[in-house]
């Protein structure tokens, strides 16, 4: 199966940050599993796969999230599906963590693993200086979660489903709530971003984007 450039661009023109969802419309299980699979298949630096996608369909938890997230206020409980993207903390993101040793052993042949981990350490310690503060490792991991975030939004748009990424929340309060719900796995995860999926309640206004020539620079 092939898809044309025109169809891909049409999906990007269709996609917008949906502010209100139609509560009478529900995404099918098959369609939503497809969306999640495009997130799972997304690339990550050093094959770290630092994410976990928590699909929140529980009404009580949705209401708790709504109360402490102004960004989710107009999307919950109306969105068909609501995803909290968690990201692994430095406990799992350091080059020498048990999680990374296991991950890297899957990414490279056994005979190359020792050298590969040395390169990984060099990258974290000197190239990006991620080991100077725990927040640096967390922010590096969070940046990667935006790859599956974008892929899932694009995949949804390709099959006519709307979405809205959500950063409007107090990170400390949201982590406290998710920890109380047993979702952060004893400090191995923290919240990155949230995303609502469903079907738009009304058509969006005109899209505002900088002109092509203002954002593309060729160096020949």
């Amino acid at each position: 199966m092939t898809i044309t450039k025109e169809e891909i661009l049409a999906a990007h023109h269709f996609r917008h940050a949906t502010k209100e969802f139609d509560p009478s419309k529900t995404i099918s299980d098959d369609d939503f599993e497809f969306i999640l699979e495009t997130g799972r298949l997304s690339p990550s630096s050093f094959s770290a796969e630092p994410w976990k996608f928590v699909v929140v369909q529980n009404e009580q938890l949705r209401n708790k999230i709504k109360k402490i997230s102004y960004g989710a206020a107009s999307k919950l409980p109306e969105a068909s599906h609501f995803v909290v993207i968690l990201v692994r903390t430095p406990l799992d993101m350091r080059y020498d963590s048990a999680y990374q040793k296991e991950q890297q052993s899957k990414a490279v042949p056994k005979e190359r693993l020792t050298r590969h981990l040395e390169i990984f350490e060099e990258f974290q310690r000197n190239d990006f200086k991620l080991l100077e503060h725990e927040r640096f490792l967390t922010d590096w991991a969070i940046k990667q979660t935006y790859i599956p975030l974008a892929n899932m939004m694009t995949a949804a748009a390709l099959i006519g489903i709307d979405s809205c990424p959500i950063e409007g929340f107090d990170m400390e309060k949201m982590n406290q709530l998710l920890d109380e719900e047993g979702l952060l796995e004893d400090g191995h995860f923290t919240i990155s971003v949230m995303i609502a999926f469903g079907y738009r309640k009304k058509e969006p206004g005109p899209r505002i984007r900088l002109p092509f020539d203002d954002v593309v620079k060729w160096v020949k």
Side-chain angles (χ1 to χ4, degrees):
M1 180 179 177
T2 60
I3 186 169
T4 67
K5 290 178 285 187
E6 290 76 14
E7 289 172 319
I8 294 171
L9 286 176
H12 281 279
H13 283 290
F14 168 84
R15 190 214 62 76
H16 75 291
T18 303
K19 300 298 186 290
E20 294 182 81
F21 292 94
D22 186 342
S24 68
K25 296 180 179 179
T26 303
I27 301 169
S28 71
D29 291 343
D30 182 68
D31 282 349
F32 203 69
E33 287 178 10
F34 158 74
I35 292 170
L36 290 170
E37 183 69 352
T38 65
R40 187 185 73 86
L41 293 173
S42 297
S44 58
S45 181
F46 282 88
S47 301
E49 295 186 65
W51 45 67
K52 178 167 284 191
F53 312 130
V54 179
V55 185
V56 181
Q57 299 302 85
N58 179 274
E59 186 176 348
Q60 289 184 328
L61 181 52
R62 281 188 171 207
N63 285 331
K64 291 178 183 178
I65 291 173
K66 180 177 179 178
K67 289 178 181 178
I68 59 175
S69 171
Y70 58 89
S74 64
K75 290 87 177 175
L76 290 175
E78 288 78 10
S80 171
H81 288 68
F82 192 81
V83 178
V84 177
I85 300 183
L86 302 181
V87 65
R88 291 187 179 274
T89 66
L91 288 175
D92 292 334
M93 293 310 294
R94 277 185 59 99
Y95 71 93
D96 55 356
S97 67
Y99 175 78
Q100 286 306 325
K101 287 179 179 178
E102 180 180 355
Q103 280 295 104
Q104 302 312 310
S105 69
K106 300 174 185 175
V108 297
K110 185 177 180 179
E111 63 272 14
R112 289 173 46 201
L113 181 59
T114 299
R115 178 55 183 153
H116 180 74
L117 289 172
E118 290 173 350
I119 294 171
F120 197 7
E121 179 184 5
E122 178 72 13
F123 167 78
Q124 289 193 344
R125 187 177 302 282
N126 298 317
D127 295 344
F128 273 41
K129 294 180 171 50
L130 299 174
L131 304 183
E132 293 182 357
H133 195 286
E134 283 194 349
R135 182 59 192 258
F136 297 165
L137 270 175
T138 301
D139 288 345
W140 172 64
I142 285 175
K143 285 195 299 183
Q144 294 179 59
T145 67
Y146 281 64
I147 301 173
L149 172 72
N151 285 344
M152 287 191 285
M153 288 192 294
T154 300
L158 281 165
I159 57 174
I161 292 172
D162 292 297
S163 62
C164 185
I166 299 166
E167 288 184 324
F169 56 86
D170 183 309
M171 185 172 285
E172 184 176 340
K173 290 181 180 178
M174 194 61 70
N175 273 326
Q176 182 179 347
L177 169 61
L178 296 173
D179 189 38
E180 290 171 355
E181 296 290 329
L183 297 171
L184 299 186
E185 299 184 18
D186 296 323
H188 285 268
F189 284 94
T190 185
I191 190 168
S192 172
V193 66
M194 304 186 293
I195 180 168
F197 292 94
Y199 295 94
R200 65 189 66 182
K201 193 172 184 178
K202 57 185 178 183
E203 290 302 311
R207 185 186 299 273
I208 300 172
R209 290 291 186 275
L210 289 169
F212 185 88
D213 290 340
D214 286 355
V215 298
V216 178
K217 183 177 180 64
W218 294 85
V219 181
K220 297 183 178 180

